[in-house]
Amino acid sequence: MHTHSAPPHVLGNGMQEGRDFMAYDGKGRAVSFSQVVEAALARVNLEPKVVFLGEYHDDPVAHALEFEIFKQAIDSSASKGSSLALSLEMFERDVQGVMTEYLNGHIAEKDLNKDCRPWPNYSSDYRAMVEMAKTQEVPVICANAPRRYVSLAGRAGRDALLNLPSHSHASLPPLPYPSASALYFEKTNG
């Protein structure tokens, strides 16, 4: 990322860079939000074309920033003729069909909310991205393993997933999945 002096970024919800949020690069150096977006959108020209955004699930500032990045990614991908998808961990893999039905206009939002089991903060923090995806015809990938399988792995270990019937594997990553790295394990259990 190159450095340049840009005016503070103001999000659609009125949050202002420097007052309500700060942006940092991967080394902890303060950068402008524009530089973060620029770096994320640069991924559009690389292989693989993936941008991961980490968050605390109950942080409205993070969600506002994600929405802004997503909005700019839609504009950037359209101008470059590249495809884009939105992957959300808050939705489980076994509700992908329901999400697709909603995005394609086959079912109402109340049915999506009932059948997709969204998190309590869906309306305030994620809905705007799903609605933008729907309007712009961007696929939404329901990315999380179903809670019942996460619970099973937590109770009985990841190898317990291997004993599930084969049709259950459609909602899971390829099994057996690898163990967490030592660094990740230390960070999450340390």
Side-chain angles (χ1 to χ4, degrees), residues 70 74 84-93 95-104 112 116 122 126-135 137-143:
F70 181 54
I74 287 174
L84 180 71
L86 173 65
S87 178
L88 293 173
E89 157 191 28
M90 74 161 309
F91 291 111
E92 299 168 24
R93 291 290 312 135
V95 300
Q96 182 64 60
V98 177
M99 176 61 75
T100 302
E101 290 170 359
Y102 175 69
L103 295 172
N104 291 333
L112 172 82
C116 275
Y122 169 73
Y126 296 93
R127 182 180 180 272
M129 286 194 294
V130 171
E131 292 304 311
M132 179 171 279
K134 182 178 182 180
T135 303
E137 300 180 355
V138 172
V140 175
I141 300 166
C142 302

Side-chain angles (χ1 to χ4, degrees), residues 57-115:
H57 299 312
D58 59 354
D59 181 356
V61 173
H63 296 296
L65 296 171
E66 288 169 339
F67 177 79
E68 187 71 22
I69 291 170
F70 181 54
K71 183 171 63 171
Q72 291 189 34
I74 287 174
D75 293 343
S76 178
S77 66
S79 70
K80 291 181 171 68
S82 60
S83 61
L84 180 71
L86 173 65
S87 178
L88 293 173
E89 157 191 28
M90 74 161 309
F91 291 111
E92 299 168 24
R93 291 290 312 135
D94 61 346
V95 300
Q96 182 64 60
V98 177
M99 176 61 75
T100 302
E101 290 170 359
Y102 175 69
L103 295 172
N104 291 333
H106 300 297
I107 64 170
E109 186 176 21
K110 67 181 171 86
D111 298 314
L112 172 82
N113 289 330
K114 177 180 167 247
D115 296 338

Side-chain angles (χ1 to χ4, degrees), residues 6-86:
H9 194 86
V10 178
L11 302 178
N13 63 3
M15 290 183 191
Q16 182 177 323
E17 182 176 9
R19 182 188 71 203
D20 301 307
F21 67 92
M22 296 286 298
Y24 297 90
D25 68 11
K27 296 183 180 175
R29 296 177 296 221
V31 296
S32 71
F33 179 69
S34 297
Q35 288 174 290
V36 172
V37 172
E38 189 178 293
L41 297 181
R43 298 289 315 165
V44 172
N45 296 320
L46 301 175
E47 294 294 333
K49 298 176 181 179
V50 176
V51 176
F52 287 100
L53 301 175
E55 66 178 29
Y56 287 104
H57 299 312
D58 59 354
D59 181 356
V61 173
H63 296 296
L65 296 171
E66 288 169 339
F67 177 79
E68 187 71 22
I69 291 170
F70 181 54
K71 183 171 63 171
Q72 291 189 34
I74 287 174
D75 293 343
S76 178
S77 66
S79 70
K80 291 181 171 68
S82 60
S83 61
L84 180 71
L86 173 65

